[in-house]
Amino acid sequence: MLEVSIRIGTPRRRPIHPESGMTLLEVLVAVTLLGLLSVGLLMSFQMGADSWQSARDRLMLDRRIATANQILHSALVGMIPVAGEAPYGLGAQRRRFLFFQGEPQSMRFVSSFSVTEGVRGGLHVIELQVVNSPRGRRVLLNQSPFNGPQGLARFVDGFFRDPDLRGIRPRFRPIMSYARSLVIVDELEDCAFRYLERQSGPELSTTWLPTWTNIRELPQAVAINVLPRSDGNRLRPVSIAVPVLSRGRGRR
């Protein structure tokens, strides 16, 4: 018969060397290296996030500019000649007039384009105005439904005789800025509207005018000249010139 004996006792301990383990200097060096590595990773992440944000901002600005150009182009192409009716003098007589206001930094007309509903939104009165903003100049757009020739009287504040003897012209009321006004273009150095007129005579010629004074027909085309601010690599809006397809006399 096999017998096994087990001795139970205290295990032997290995002697501790006086130089074993890590010194305080080695711990400080390790912590410093770990801190430098963390800072490097954080800076890399921050640079990547900044690059992504910059590319995103450029893309959003590019989309805004494209959308603004599309809105302006569609509104101007959809311009139609409409005759308004407003009280003339103190009597009950009402005067008909071609509803179009064309000035260097303000424009008002009737268009078949709606900002919210496109070409299916019916006729609307479009108001464009260049105003000051905290970061330069901006172009605002107001839109209101067209309620017939007499509904256009709210935009007129009387009539006056044109100094060039072109007839009686309406005196339009100033365009107002509202909380609902749409900012088309922002952060500009300047912006101006011009209007193309065909000169009469044996040779057909055209001239760009800062103010439209013709009371019988719409301009041949409308140009919006944009002078952007020089802000380094900022994407810049572009000037546009849009032909007016309907240039006849005002209609009901």
Side-chain angles (χ1 to χ4, degrees):
M1 183 176 183
L2 180 62
E3 294 182 0
V4 178
S5 61
I6 301 176
R7 183 180 179 181
I8 301 176
T10 303
R12 297 178 60 186
R13 295 181 179 181
R14 299 178 57 186
I16 299 176
H17 198 276
E19 297 182 359
S20 62
M22 298 181 62
T23 64
L24 178 60
L25 179 61
E26 292 174 337
V27 173
L28 292 177
V29 171
V31 171
T32 302
L33 293 177
L34 182 60
L36 293 176
L37 180 60
S38 301
V39 171
L41 291 176
L42 182 60
M43 292 182 61
S44 300
F45 290 151
Q46 185 65 36
M47 292 177 60
D50 292 343
S51 299
W52 178 84
Q53 184 66 31
S54 178
R56 182 177 179 275
D57 292 342
R58 287 174 175 269
L59 180 60
M60 294 298 296
L61 183 58
D62 193 17
R63 290 180 178 177
R64 286 181 54 191
I65 293 173
T67 302
N69 289 339
Q70 182 179 1
I71 291 176
L72 293 174
H73 187 277
S74 300
L76 293 174
V77 166
M79 183 189 306
I80 61 175
V82 173
E85 294 182 3
Y88 181 67
L90 299 178
Q93 180 184 2
R94 304 185 70 85
R95 175 174 290 275
R96 298 186 64 202
F97 61 95
L98 177 64
F99 185 80
F100 180 78
Q101 178 185 1
E103 298 176 358
Q105 294 190 331
S106 60
M107 195 185 322
R108 186 184 270 138
F109 55 92
V110 176
S111 177
S112 60
F113 175 78
S114 170
V115 176
T116 55
E117 303 178 34
V119 295
R120 300 180 181 179
L123 300 182
H124 284 79
V125 177
I126 303 295
E127 296 177 315
L128 296 174
Q129 182 180 205
V130 181
V131 299
N132 293 324
S133 70
R135 301 186 62 181
R137 307 275 279 171
R138 64 174 47 164
V139 180
L140 298 181
L141 184 147
N142 297 331
Q143 172 183 286
S144 59
F146 171 69
N147 298 322
Q150 296 184 1
L152 299 176
R154 69 182 188 273
F155 301 104
V156 177
D157 191 20
F159 295 84
F160 69 99
R161 182 170 295 277
D162 191 287
D164 296 332
L165 302 179
R166 285 187 154 184
I168 303 298
R169 293 180 54 197
R171 181 182 292 107
F172 288 95
R173 294 178 178 177
I175 299 176
M176 305 299 295
S177 300
Y178 307 98
R180 65 178 183 274
S181 299
L182 179 64
V183 179
I184 297 296
V185 186
D186 200 1
E187 301 181 21
L188 301 176
E189 186 70 26
D190 198 7
C191 180
F193 305 146
R194 294 193 304 163
Y195 312 94
L196 185 64
E197 182 182 43
R198 177 177 295 178
Q199 302 291 336
S200 60
E203 296 183 0
L204 296 179
S205 61
T206 56
T207 304
W208 287 101
L209 303 175
T211 303
W212 186 254
T213 58
N214 193 328
I215 61 174
R216 296 178 178 83
E217 61 181 6
L218 298 177
Q220 301 284 318
V222 176
I224 300 179
N225 300 320
V226 176
L227 179 61
R229 296 175 60 185
S230 56
D231 291 343
N233 296 326
R234 178 181 181 271
L235 295 177
R236 297 184 174 186
V238 295
S239 302
I240 63 172
V242 181
V244 178
L245 302 182
S246 301
R247 297 187 297 271
R249 296 174 180 270
R251 61 185 182 184
R252 290 182 180 272

